[in-house]
């Protein structure tokens, strides 16, 4: 999800995976040990999220099939959720226009429970329980979905989800075509240079 207030960036951002890439549709694996490597990953995820003007980011979005996500809601508190479990949701639901760093430029109003209770480990491996509402509750549900290979478009209109998926498939095809053309051009130039060098060596 996206954020208007950008905190300071302290780590090198990671690549954000985009709709159509396989990792976004795979179920993430539990983190077996909260160690320095996981803490470093969390910091880089914060950096990536902040650089992209987001408020939440999950492991699969940066190519890590791990049950971890980070969040900074409107209270500007940095939170790390490792192996999260949503244990309670309210009957009351609210609609909110969501976006996603992995589906840039796409927004849709999504209905979700207004409040959630989540249990998770923090970056120090300590278990905590958090009751959340408002934007934080929305972020938690959105990012937790990522850990199960679910995207926010799956929660809305089915035809809109299909249209968006097809749009990004076409986008990926255009990117691949440009990449192939660029590689072919580079290969042609390299062959020309090699031929000129060989001709020069023979004279």
């Amino acid at each position: 999800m996206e954020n208007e207030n950008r905190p300071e960036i302290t780590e090198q951002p990671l690549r954000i995976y985009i709709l159509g890439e396989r990792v976004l549709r795979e179920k993430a694996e539990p983190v077996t040990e909260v160690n320095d490597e996981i803490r470093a990953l969390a910091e880089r995820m914060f950096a990536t999220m902040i650089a992209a003007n987001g408020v939440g980011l999950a492991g699969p979005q940066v190519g890590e099939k791990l049950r971890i996500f980070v969040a900074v809601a409107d209270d500007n508190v940095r939170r790390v959720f490792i192996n999260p479990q949503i244990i309670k949701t309210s009957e009351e639901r609210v609609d909110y226009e969501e976006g996603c760093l992995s589906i840039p430029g796409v927004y849709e109003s999504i209905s979700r429970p207004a409040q959630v209770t989540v249990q998770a480990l923090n970056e120090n491996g300590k278990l905590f329980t958090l009751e959340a509402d408002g934007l934080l509750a929305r972020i938690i549900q959105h990012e937790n979905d990522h850990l199960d290979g679910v995207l926010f478009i799956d929660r809305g209109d089915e035809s809109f989800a299909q249209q968006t998926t097809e749009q990004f498939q076409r986008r990926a095809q255009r990117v691949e075509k440009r990449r192939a053309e660029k590689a072919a051009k580079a290969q042609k130039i390299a062959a020309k240079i090699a031929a000129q060098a060989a001709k020069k060596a023979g004279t």
Side-chain angles (χ1 to χ4, degrees), residues 75-94:
D75 58 3
N76 286 324
V77 176
R78 294 190 180 202
R79 294 183 173 91
V80 179
F81 298 79
I82 299 170
N83 298 339
Q85 289 186 317
I86 295 176
I87 59 176
K88 185 178 180 182
T89 59
S90 65
E91 292 185 7
E92 179 190 0
R93 301 179 70 87
V94 291

Side-chain angles (χ1 to χ4, degrees), residues 122-196:
N122 65 14
E123 64 272 27
N124 297 314
K126 183 178 179 180
L127 181 67
F128 69 92
T129 301
L130 176 67
E131 296 180 3
D133 58 13
L135 179 60
L136 182 56
R138 174 75 49 168
I139 296 169
I140 289 169
Q141 293 173 83
H142 179 112
E143 302 306 332
N144 195 69
D145 272 352
H146 273 298
L147 306 185
D148 293 321
V150 177
L151 303 176
F152 82 94
I153 56 174
D154 302 329
R155 300 290 188 183
D157 181 76
E158 186 176 339
S159 62
F160 181 78
Q162 182 177 351
Q163 178 185 349
T164 302
T165 300
E166 291 172 353
Q167 173 190 337
F168 275 77
Q169 286 175 342
R170 292 192 296 270
R171 170 178 168 171
Q173 289 169 355
R174 289 194 299 269
V175 170
E176 183 56 35
K177 182 180 178 181
R178 288 195 296 268
R179 184 182 294 115
E181 289 173 347
K182 186 176 180 180
K185 184 178 180 180
Q187 188 176 27
K188 186 176 180 180
I189 292 172
K192 185 176 180 180
I193 292 173
Q196 289 174 344

Side-chain angles (χ1 to χ4, degrees), residues 8-14 41-53 57 70 78:
E8 181 182 356
I9 300 172
T10 59
E11 298 287 340
Q12 183 67 28
L14 300 162
L41 171 62
E43 283 303 310
R44 294 195 70 189
M45 288 173 65
F46 274 122
T48 305
M49 179 192 75
I50 293 166
N53 204 30
L57 189 70
V70 299
R78 294 190 180 202

Side-chain angles (χ1 to χ4, degrees), residues 29-39 41 66-68 82-83 121-125:
E29 300 293 333
V31 174
T32 57
E33 180 184 1
V34 181
N35 51 27
D36 287 344
E37 185 178 351
I38 293 298
R39 283 185 280 274
L41 171 62
L66 294 172
R67 301 191 75 81
I68 178 175
I82 299 170
N83 298 339
L121 301 176
N122 65 14
E123 64 272 27
N124 297 314

